[in-house]
Amino acid sequence: MHVLTTPPFAGTDRGQQLFQAHYGGVWRAFTLVFALAFTLGCGATPPAYFRLNMVEATKQHLTTQQEEQVSTVLLAMFGTPDEPATLPEMGLDAAKLKLAAGPVRSDIVGRKNGLYREHCAHCHGITGDGLGPTSAFLNPYPRDYRPGVFKFKSTERADKPTHADLLRILHNGIAGTSMPSFALLSAAKIDALAEYVKYLSMRGETELSLMRAFFELDDDAAGKLPQTREFLVTETLAVAAAKWQGASAAQIAVPPMPADIELVDSIAKGRALFYGEKANCVKCHGVTGLGDGQANDYDDWNKAIVEADKEVAGGERRAQEAQTSGMSPDELKEHREQIAWLEKFTRVLDGDALKPRTIPPRNLRQGVYRGGRRPLDLYYRIHAGINGAPMPAGKGTIPPEDIWHIVNYIRSLPYEFDGELGADRPLVARDRF
Ligand code: HEC
Ligand code: HEC
C-alpha cells in the first residue's frame, strides 16, 4: 500500500505554483507582521491584575491612600492573578490554584494552566467580580464571588457551599442560565477550578472587611488600618476562611421521604401548603405557579446597585437644593467634597457595575431548576431558601414531612391538568397556562 508521507504535487513545479498561490500571500503577511513587531516592539500585554472593589471603596468614602493600603494588604496575602499566594489560614491547596490561575498556556508535556482565564473569566471576570466582557449581555448576570454568597448548595442559608456543591455546579452548569456545564473537563481540572472560586471569594470577602474596617478606626489611627498580623489575618482573613472550612458541618440533614407516602395524596397536601398562609409560596410564584406573583424584587448583588443609584440621586438632589450663599467656609468645603464624591460615585457605577436587573420568582411550570432537579435539590431550596435572593427559608416554619409534600407538588406542576380537553389544548401545563 502506498503511504502518503508528502503532500501531493510536493517538489513538482505544479506543487510550487500551488504553494505560491495558496500560501505566498500568507508568508508575505507574516514577514510584514514580524518586521513591524521588530521595529515597533511587540506591545506585550501587561500582566493581569485584580481590580479593586471600587463600588465599595467609594461607598465607604475611602481616600486614595486608603484604597492603596487595601491593595497592598491584599497583594501580600493573595498575590496576583498570575502568581496566587496562600497563607495557611486559608486552608487552600496551592497546587490546585496554580493549575487554575495564570494566563492560558501549556507546559512542555502539554499540561495546561490558566483554566480559570480560559473557561470562566470572560463571564466572571479575572477578579471574580462578575464583570467579565460578556457579563452585560447575560440575564441573570454571572455571579460576583466577592461577597462570598452562593445560591445553590446543600448547606443552611447563610453558610458557604461545600466543595462538593461547587464541583456539582461546575459539572452540571446552571440550567436555564448561561452558566455552562464543564462536564467535559477532567475531575482534576474541575477540582482546581472549584478551589480557585473559593480563593477569589475569600479574597473578595477579605477586601470587603478591610474596606469596612476604616469606618471603625479611632482618631489615633489617622485613617490607617493596624498593620498587625492579629488584625489582618486573625480578625479578618481567618474569619472568612473559617466559614469556608465549616461548610461541610453546615450541611442540611435531610430526613428521607416517608416510605409510605401516597403520591396523589402527597401532591394534594403540597398544593394546600403552597397556597396556604404558612408556606405562602403563592405570594411570589403566583396563583398560576408561573412566577407571576411579586416579581419586582432584586437579589442582593443588584439591590446593592439599586441602593447606590438611589444614594447618588438623593445626594444630587440635596446638593442642587443647597443654598451655598449662606454657607460658612467649612460648610462650603464639605459641600464641595460631597459634590466631588457624587461625581466619583456616578463614574464608578458607570464603569464598575452592571445595570440592575430584577430577579423574577421561578416559573414552576417549566420544570427547569437552576439548583438541580433531583427531589433532594428541591428539598434544599425549600428548606434553606435561596441565599442572596428573595426566596425565603422554610426551615422552622415548614416541617420536613411537609417540605416533601411541597416537593412532590412542585414536581407535578409542569404536568398539572386543569380538567379541560380539546384539540387546541396543549397537553403539557407549561404550554397551557
Ligand atoms: C457564559 C457565561 C459563564 C461562564 C463561561 C461561566 N459562568 Fe459561572 N455563572 C454564570 C452565570 C450567569 C451564573 C449565575 C446563575 C444564577 O445566578 O442563577 C453563574 C454562577 C456561577 C457560580 C455560582 C453558583 C451558586 O451556587 O451561586 C459559580 C461557583 C460559577 N458560576 C463558577 C464558574 C466557573 C468556575 C466557571 C469556569 C469554569 C464559570 N462559572 C463559567 C455564567 C458563566
Ligand atoms: C418572597 C418571594 C418568594 C416566596 C415567598 C417563595 N419564593 Fe420561590 N423563588 C423566589 C425567587 C425570587 C426565586 C428565584 C431566585 C433565584 O434564582 O435567585 C425562587 C425560586 C424558586 C424555585 C427554583 C429553584 C431552582 O433551583 O431553580 C423553587 C422550586 C421555588 N422557588 C419554590 C418555592 C416554594 C415551594 C415556596 C413556598 C414554600 C417559595 N418558592 C416561596 C421567590 C419566592
Side-chain angles (χ1 to χ4, degrees):
M1 197 175 86
H2 176 71
V3 181
L4 204 64
T5 46
T6 43
F9 307 119
T12 62
D13 283 351
R14 173 86 184 114
Q16 208 54 39
Q17 276 167 12
L18 278 174
F19 184 84
Q20 274 300 330
H22 282 273
Y23 299 109
V26 178
W27 280 115
R28 269 195 298 278
F30 261 123
T31 323
L32 191 68
V33 169
F34 278 126
L36 274 177
F38 191 70
T39 41
L40 302 176
C42 284
T45 13
Y49 60 93
F50 288 125
R51 286 153 59 105
L52 202 65
N53 187 339
M54 282 310 291
V55 172
E56 190 66 22
T58 316
K59 200 165 127 195
Q60 301 296 339
H61 292 260
L62 301 197
T63 62
T64 314
Q65 288 81 356
Q66 289 173 328
E67 286 170 8
E68 278 166 15
Q69 273 181 58
V70 173
S71 302
T72 312
V73 171
L74 288 174
L75 181 67
M77 283 177 175
F78 290 91
T80 66
D82 289 347
E83 294 290 339
T86 49
L87 287 175
E89 283 78 359
M90 296 178 196
L92 293 170
D93 184 329
K96 290 185 194 171
L97 297 185
K98 203 159 172 247
L99 195 61
V104 186
R105 59 179 182 238
S106 26
D107 66 12
I108 197 158
V109 289
R111 256 189 321 242
K112 272 205 166 172
N113 295 60
L115 294 171
Y116 181 80
R117 245 176 271 174
E118 182 170 13
H119 298 294
C120 324
H122 68 98
C123 287
H124 292 282
I126 287 191
T127 314
D129 52 10
L131 292 173
T134 314
S135 60
F137 310 112
L138 305 176
N139 191 5
Y141 291 134
R143 177 81 69 261
D144 168 2
Y145 309 135
R146 295 171 305 173
V149 174
F150 292 81
K151 287 185 174 179
F152 307 115
K153 55 202 179 59
S154 63
T155 53
E156 295 293 349
R157 188 179 177 99
D159 288 297
K160 303 292 176 204
T162 62
H163 194 71
D165 287 335
L166 291 175
L167 296 180
R168 183 170 16 247
I169 286 282
L170 291 182
H171 199 270
N172 294 347
I174 301 183
T177 80
S178 58
M179 166 77 193
S181 153
F182 292 95
L184 294 181
L185 292 182
S186 68
K189 286 180 178 169
I190 292 191
D191 190 32
L193 285 161
E195 194 78 352
Y196 198 69
V197 168
K198 287 194 241 176
Y199 161 83
L200 288 177
S201 186
M202 254 179 232
R203 188 188 168 281
E205 288 174 272
T206 307
E207 180 179 36
L208 284 173
S209 309
L210 291 172
M211 288 183 167
R212 288 169 187 169
F214 284 104
F215 191 62
E216 290 157 16
L217 294 181
D218 50 29
D219 288 345
D220 305 345
K224 280 202 176 139
L225 293 176
Q227 299 292 307
T228 60
R229 189 178 164 86
E230 192 194 355
F231 170 74
L232 297 173
V233 179
T234 317
E235 291 172 14
T236 309
L237 167 71
V239 177
K243 289 197 208 130
W244 281 101
Q245 286 144 23
S248 40
Q251 265 198 301
I252 299 164
V254 182
M257 192 186 300
D260 57 350
I261 218 161
E262 210 278 302
L263 196 56
V264 175
D265 198 36
S266 170
I267 291 173
K269 283 186 185 149
R271 187 175 201 282
L273 287 157
F274 186 92
Y275 288 98
E277 241 165 53
K278 202 164 58 171
N280 203 10
C281 317
V282 63
K283 177 180 160 217
C284 299
H285 293 280
V287 275
T288 57
L290 291 168
D292 52 0
Q294 185 191 343
N296 57 357
D297 212 346
Y298 296 90
D299 67 13
D300 288 0
W301 297 262
N302 287 283
K303 204 175 277 168
I305 305 304
V306 171
E307 277 159 15
D309 281 341
K310 272 194 204 147
E311 199 176 340
V312 169
E316 278 169 352
R317 207 177 40 248
R318 279 192 301 279
Q320 269 163 15
E321 286 165 3
Q323 293 291 337
T324 43
S325 55
M327 278 184 187
S328 70
D330 274 356
E331 282 169 344
L332 202 58
K333 185 167 166 263
E334 204 176 299
H335 175 73
R336 289 205 181 112
E337 278 168 6
Q338 176 70 1
I339 290 176
W341 179 79
L342 286 167
E343 280 168 0
K344 180 177 175 190
F345 212 175
T346 310
R347 248 190 346 264
V348 165
L349 288 171
D350 268 355
D352 285 52
L354 300 166
K355 198 164 96 21
R357 283 201 174 127
T358 52
I359 180 91
R362 196 79 69 248
N363 176 350
L364 299 175
R365 301 255 175 213
Q366 280 177 327
V368 177
Y369 310 108
R370 293 185 185 174
R373 55 199 280 266
R374 297 172 304 172
L376 176 67
D377 295 318
L378 294 175
Y379 188 100
Y380 290 144
R381 294 299 89 71
I382 299 170
H383 170 97
I386 297 179
N387 198 19
M391 162 91 188
K395 182 193 178 190
T397 48
I398 315 176
E401 196 170 326
D402 285 351
I403 295 187
W404 280 125
H405 294 316
I406 302 176
V407 168
N408 286 332
Y409 174 60
I410 299 288
R411 278 162 54 83
S412 79
L413 270 173
Y415 314 100
E416 198 176 52
F417 178 57
D418 66 356
E420 273 188 59
L421 279 175
D424 57 340
R425 301 279 299 155
L427 279 171
V428 182
R430 63 161 181 255
D431 303 324
R432 199 184 313 129
F433 286 87

